[in-house]
Amino acid sequence: MLEKEYYPQQIEKKWFDIWEKSNPYRADDNSSKPKYYALSMFPYPSGKLHMGHVRNYTITDVVARFKKAQGYNVLHPMGWDSFGLPAENAAIQHGANPETWTLDNIAYMKKQLKMLGLSVDWDREVTTCLPDYYKWTQWLFIQLYKKGLAYKKTAPVNWCDKCHTVLANEQVIDGKCWRCDSEVTKKNLSQWFLKITDYSEELLKDLDLLTGWGDNVKTMQSNWIGKSEGAILKFKVKEIEGLEIPVYTTRADTVYGITYLVVAPEYKDIEKLTTPENMQKVQEYRENAKKLSEIERLSTERIKTGVPLGTHFINPFTGRVCPIWVADYALVDYGTGAVMAVPYHDDRDFDFAKKYNLPMIQVITGDDFVDGKCYTNKQGKLINSAQFDGMRADEAREKITKFAIEKGFGEFKTQYRLRDWLVSRQRYWGAPIPVVYCPKCGAVPVDEKDLPVLLPKDVDFKVQGKSPIETSPTFKKAICPVCGGLAERETDTMDTFVCSSWYYMRYSDAKNDKKCFDKDLVNKWLPVDQYIGGIEHAILHLLYSRFITKALRDCGLLDFDEPFKNLLTQGMVLKDGSKMSKSKGNTVDPDDIYKNFGADTARLFILSDSPPARDFDWTDAGVEGCYKFICRVYRLFSKYQNQIKLDYNFDFSKLSKKDSDLVRETHIAIKKITNDIENEFQFNTVISRYREFTNSIYDYIANESEINYDVLSFALLTLLKLISPVCVFMAEEIYSSLGGADSIHNISWCKYDDNLAKTANITLIVQVNGKIKDKLEVEADLSDDKLKELATSAPKTAEFIQGKTIVKTIVVPNKLVNIVVK
RNA sequence: GCCGAUGUGGCGAAAUUGGUAGACGCACCAGACUCAAAAUCUGGCGUGGUUCACCCCACGUGCCGGUUCGACUCCGGCCAUCGGCACCA
């Protein structure tokens, strides 16, 4: 029996306990049904769920439940991105053990997720900080190493002093650390990299295959990869026989306008290129450049500086001899580290030449050319460029490069902005990089049978200035797997983004202790059909995962090219106009919502007001509104629980108008809700339909004596099924109280009859010259001629037509008639 | 500077192929129920004009222009907000 009023706490507790015991949402590896893989970005176990999590996982859960009801074999897993600095910082600050801290948080948050009613297959739970997972992260690292995709090199890398570790390029946001927001400096260190640049072109090109991704994310990735097509041109140094300076340019069409050349302060040949009399000034300049922070140096606002080296180069096109300068607006790690300067046609060169009084030569002109101003139009015509005069700039670019190739001082070159992924971290709480250093054999990967390389427990977290892992008295000692001699273990751990770049593959075979995953299983379940998470991973996680997928494909471990077929980036959860955050004090604790209104209310509300991709504004009034709606639905069922028939039966042709109208409303509701879910998961309109349909049912029952209980049963049970993916606890409670044998969540999705999914009458709009003059209630599906006749003879239209000539009449079936008169 | 997204009532928003702009909700107002309140149910709710009122008329989807019988929707040109990239040669 249903209670008269709705008590969410009791109902949700009851089903929480039942589902806890049965784990009813196992994905079946052997099912013959088509598979559907619904995936949420897994959480970092920071302590408690926040509303962003609630939104993310509710959306994915409704998708998973909808697809299951539609007959798919659904995989909807969950896990924990559980390595990373917060655990280590807790250890440093409160003396906690990072592992205990992390596992405690996981236990708490797991319970919160279960209270949210997620249809997750908990048998496949993955925890990246546990050895049964990171063993395989290490194993994958070794496969990449063998394939030449993991390597160690000394390079200027990003260093965060506060986090005391290096960072990947992707983790430096506006010159600051992505985690702690402190300024990042450059350090020259020997570090491990993954060769993502081998895949630059494929990562860019395959964005076109990702038709289920938003343009925003694809554009961000494309910007980040930063492809540019140009040429390398080589210039001979006048003073030094045999020395050449190659430059990279996308504007080969401007070579006749070169008046100087700039090298970066870190340029490799810079000392050779400096004359003794300039040496002191050049060295001073370089020292100064080193002191500047990345932020200062990359600021476009800054006034450009530089000093001449004293040497010169010969422009092979013109034979002109021009000076070589050092200036920090040339970047050592892009192109060749040297830039040809064409002041008249490049803003930066223009500023620089003005400041130091360097000559300018105009070589491009056009209608919009203004004398004395830098002219960067790429459609202009060449002048002062010998045989290339009169050509359009974009054509000349190719011709001039070809000319340079023929003469042996140039080549075409495609350049990418993307850099290799720096993956080593000087921190404790991560997967140890499985490498040992042997005095004889150098850096050697650990023998695969010796994996995992376990994190040592005998460490001191309070140590300053180095990784806690270094304080272990035992960890470093190792035997070289090649020669058997004494060796030293690598103490760096991996970037957590390595762990998270393959977790969604592990779900396909989460408990396998022989392999990272079975090839057949990973090929069966992946690619992910729908991935849902925050936009903040547009570059980081999503780019890394795409790279790892392609790399593992090339290692022969799987057979697909892209990991995520469809991607939904959900908007933020706001309150009072800004993002919920502890510092602003505008957070809402999911536990409080569970306690006061129940998880079903939280789920309904978080889906209700905005489409998933847009930001969502949390309001207390909105939550209450949703709670009231759930009560309103519940009351319908509790009121008629004795009349509702699970085996309802009626003959549509014999129904009264009122009954048949409700049947039609029911079919319309099924159709619209199904379409709205399938069309980009527009849950906000889905919920509007729930309300509309519920309002229709309330209208229907207004007169008790006219109720046909078979028709009412049909409508109510349909509503219950339609609402069941969102209000999971209430739907289950009602259905089981009505005597349903199975769980409502195991019942197939409702079908609709297209002939019944429309109203019996329509409102015909009558326009004269495009202005609405009348609205007529008429039978649906009348012929065009009949509609025309009805419209012209309508009394209100008559006065507008009278005395005028009808030029034409436009009929839109079932909608409108427009009479055009003169 | 380049690229992407967005722009509709007091607020969140809706609107197959161009075809009733504002569905659904929040807030607000009124009525019913009640001794009263809450809850619940019913109705109203873009702006301006006109009217005792019903009606009716004009305007209205960031701005300007165009195509069309008809434009939130298509085209051209702007503006604003948010986000990404950026001394990348």
Side-chain angles (χ1 to χ4, degrees), chain A residues 436-470:
Chain A
V436 299
Y437 298 100
C438 171
K440 269 196 255 163
C441 314
V444 185
V446 171
D447 201 319
E448 288 174 20
K449 70 175 178 355
D450 294 331
L451 295 177
V453 176
L454 289 169
L455 273 171
K457 309 247 181 195
D458 50 353
V459 296
D460 173 13
F461 289 108
K462 306 252 181 214
V463 71
Q464 301 275 322
K466 60 178 170 179
S467 168
I469 211 167
E470 303 235 25

Side-chain angles (χ1 to χ4, degrees), chain A residues 689-755:
Chain A
R689 310 287 176 220
Y690 291 161
R691 291 176 185 275
E692 277 178 337
F693 185 35
T694 304
N695 289 345
S696 299
I697 297 175
Y698 264 90
D699 287 347
Y700 178 79
I701 60 166
N703 192 341
E704 292 264 352
S705 62
E706 290 176 15
I707 296 174
N708 174 330
Y709 286 101
D710 286 286
V711 167
L712 181 63
S713 297
F714 170 58
L716 283 176
L717 290 168
T718 302
L719 173 64
L720 195 65
K721 180 59 198 177
L722 292 175
I723 213 171
S724 69
V726 178
C727 301
V728 297
F729 295 98
M730 180 189 69
E732 188 78 319
E733 172 70 10
I734 291 173
Y735 194 66
S736 92
S737 295
L738 293 174
D742 198 355
S743 162
I744 191 162
H745 302 298
N746 290 334
I747 296 175
S748 297
W749 194 244
C750 310
K751 304 246 180 331
Y752 62 89
D753 179 339
D754 233 341
N755 290 316

Side-chain angles (χ1 to χ4, degrees), chain A residues 488-507:
Chain A
E488 202 166 285
R489 202 177 285 287
E490 169 67 82
T491 54
D492 282 359
T493 53
M494 279 184 246
D495 182 3
T496 54
F497 281 95
V498 180
C499 305
S500 62
S501 63
W502 75 283
Y503 77 102
Y504 49 90
M505 300 173 184
R506 180 69 177 172
Y507 284 139

